[in-house]
Amino acid sequence: MKRRHLLGRSKEALTAYLMLLPDTIGLAIFIFVPMLFAVYTSFHSWNGIEPMKFIGLANYKRLIGDVDFWTSLVVTLKYSIVYIPAVYCVSLGLALLINKLRGKFELFTRMAFFLPYSISTVVAGLLWMFMYDPKSGYFNVILSKLGIPKQQFLASSSQALLSVVVVSVWLIVGYNMIIFLAALKEVPLDYYEAADLDGASAVQKFLHITLPSIKNTSLFILVVTTIGSFQVFDQIKVMTNGGPAKATEVTVFHIYNQAFTLFDFGYSSTMAVALLVIIMILSLFQFKLLGRKE
C-alpha cells in the first residue's frame, strides 16, 4: 500500500515536471541564455559583423564616465517615481471599489478596466498620440472648451515623460486590479465584522486589516511594477522616440540606440548588465523593506 502510494506520488511529480518543462526550456532559451551571452559580450568590442575582440573591463570603465548613460538612468528614475505609486494606488483603489460591487455590474466593470491590458502597446501608443496631438487632439479640444490653453503634451520636454506615464498606467492598471481583487476576496469577513463591533472606522479597517492581509500581493505588484518601469521601451519608441531633446530617453531606449543605431553591441551589453544589476538591487531592497525573508 505504501509502495503504491509512493508510486502515485512519483507519477504526479513527474507529470508536474513534464508540464513545467516547456516553460523551463523557453525561459532557458529566450531569457537565461541571452543574459549569459550579454555578460560575455560586455567584455568584448563587437559591431555584430566582425569577430569579437576581448577588451576586459574597458567597457565598464567607459560606463562609469558615460554622461549619456547616467542621464538616461535619471530619466528612468523620474519615470519610475511617478509610474510605480500611480499603478499601485490606482490599481488598489479600483480593486477596493469593484470589490463592493456585485452581480453583472461587477463583471462589466472588471472587464471594462481590464480591456486596455489586452491592447497592443504599439496600438495604444498610436491611439494616445492622436489624442495628444497639439493641434487637433481630443485632449486639447476638451481643454479649449473649458477655456484652458492648448498643451503640447508629447512635443513638450516638460510634459512628454508624464504623458507617456499616463499611457503606461492606463495599460497596466486593469491587470494589477484583478490581482488585488483576488487578494481582497481572500480576506476573511470575520475580521471586518469584529472591527465593526469595536467601532473601527473605514480608514482604520483599511490600514489594520486590508493592507496587512494583502501584503504579499502588494510586494508582488511593487516588485513587478518596478522591474517593468526600468524596462519601458515600446511606448517611448512609438510615441516620442526618446525626444523631445532626450526628455524621454530612458535607459532601455538608450541601450537600443547604442546597439542598433551605432552597432556597438559590446558596450550596449555592458549597459544592459548594469541595468540588470540595478533592477536586482532595487528588487532585493523592496523585499527587505517589506519584511520578507524568503
Side-chain angles (χ1 to χ4, degrees):
M1 186 69 179
K2 185 177 181 180
R3 183 178 179 183
R4 184 180 300 176
H5 176 71
L6 291 175
L7 183 61
R9 292 289 297 274
S10 299
K11 288 182 178 179
E12 289 179 2
L14 179 61
T15 302
Y17 284 124
L18 288 175
M19 294 179 70
L20 290 172
L21 186 62
D23 277 345
T24 304
I25 295 174
L27 286 172
I29 294 175
F30 298 107
I31 302 295
F32 295 114
V33 171
M35 286 173 59
L36 293 175
F37 183 71
V39 173
Y40 174 77
T41 306
S42 68
F43 295 102
H44 295 77
S45 175
W46 186 42
N47 61 6
I49 299 175
E50 298 175 354
M52 289 186 181
K53 180 182 178 182
F54 180 76
I55 57 174
L57 297 174
N59 282 329
Y60 289 92
K61 293 178 181 178
R62 176 184 171 187
L63 180 68
I64 295 174
D66 188 349
V67 177
D68 290 335
F69 171 77
W70 296 110
T71 301
S72 71
L73 189 59
V74 170
V75 174
T76 305
L77 286 172
K78 290 179 180 178
Y79 177 92
S80 301
I81 288 171
V82 179
Y83 175 76
I84 296 170
V87 169
Y88 182 86
C89 294
V90 175
S91 301
L92 180 56
L94 290 174
L96 290 169
L97 177 64
I98 294 176
N99 194 41
K100 301 294 183 181
L101 304 177
R102 293 294 181 269
K104 293 183 178 179
F105 188 61
E106 178 193 3
L107 179 61
F108 172 79
T109 309
R110 279 193 297 175
M111 290 177 60
F113 284 113
F114 184 79
L115 185 61
Y117 181 73
S118 64
I119 300 175
S120 165
T121 308
V122 175
V123 173
L126 293 173
L127 174 65
W128 279 80
M129 282 180 65
F130 177 74
M131 294 190 293
Y132 277 140
D133 187 88
K135 296 182 179 179
S136 57
Y138 286 149
F139 291 139
N140 273 330
V141 171
I142 295 172
L143 292 176
S144 298
K145 296 292 184 182
L146 298 174
I148 301 174
K150 291 185 177 181
Q151 303 297 313
Q152 293 300 307
F153 295 116
L154 298 176
S156 169
S157 58
S158 61
Q159 298 178 358
L161 190 63
L162 181 59
S163 300
V164 175
V165 170
V166 171
V167 179
S168 301
V169 172
W170 177 76
L171 282 168
I172 198 66
V173 289
Y175 174 78
N176 290 340
M177 176 202 69
I178 296 297
I179 296 176
F180 271 129
L181 191 59
L184 289 173
K185 291 187 179 298
E186 292 296 319
V187 181
L189 295 177
D190 297 344
Y191 294 171
Y192 296 105
E193 293 173 357
D196 289 333
L197 292 175
D198 290 336
S201 65
V203 174
Q204 289 174 323
K205 287 188 286 186
F206 175 74
L207 293 176
H208 298 289
I209 297 177
T210 305
L211 279 182
S213 298
I214 63 171
K215 180 180 178 181
N216 292 342
T217 303
S218 294
L219 175 64
F220 170 78
I221 295 294
L222 288 172
V223 171
V224 172
T225 304
T226 300
I227 294 172
S229 69
F230 275 79
Q231 294 178 332
V232 60
F233 174 79
D234 294 354
Q235 302 93 306
I236 302 295
K237 179 63 178 175
V238 173
M239 299 177 70
T240 66
N241 203 37
K246 295 188 175 182
T248 60
E249 188 175 283
V250 294
T251 305
V252 173
F253 187 80
H254 181 66
I255 295 172
Y256 167 84
N257 280 336
Q258 194 73 34
F260 298 103
T261 301
L262 302 178
F263 298 102
D264 192 347
F265 293 102
Y267 184 56
S268 63
S269 297
T270 303
M271 291 189 288
V273 172
L275 182 62
L276 173 63
V277 172
I278 292 171
I279 292 174
M280 289 177 64
I281 292 173
L282 288 174
S283 299
L284 290 173
F285 175 75
Q286 287 177 315
F287 275 95
K288 187 69 176 179
L289 185 65
L290 293 176
R292 287 293 298 271
K293 298 181 180 179
E294 294 83 0

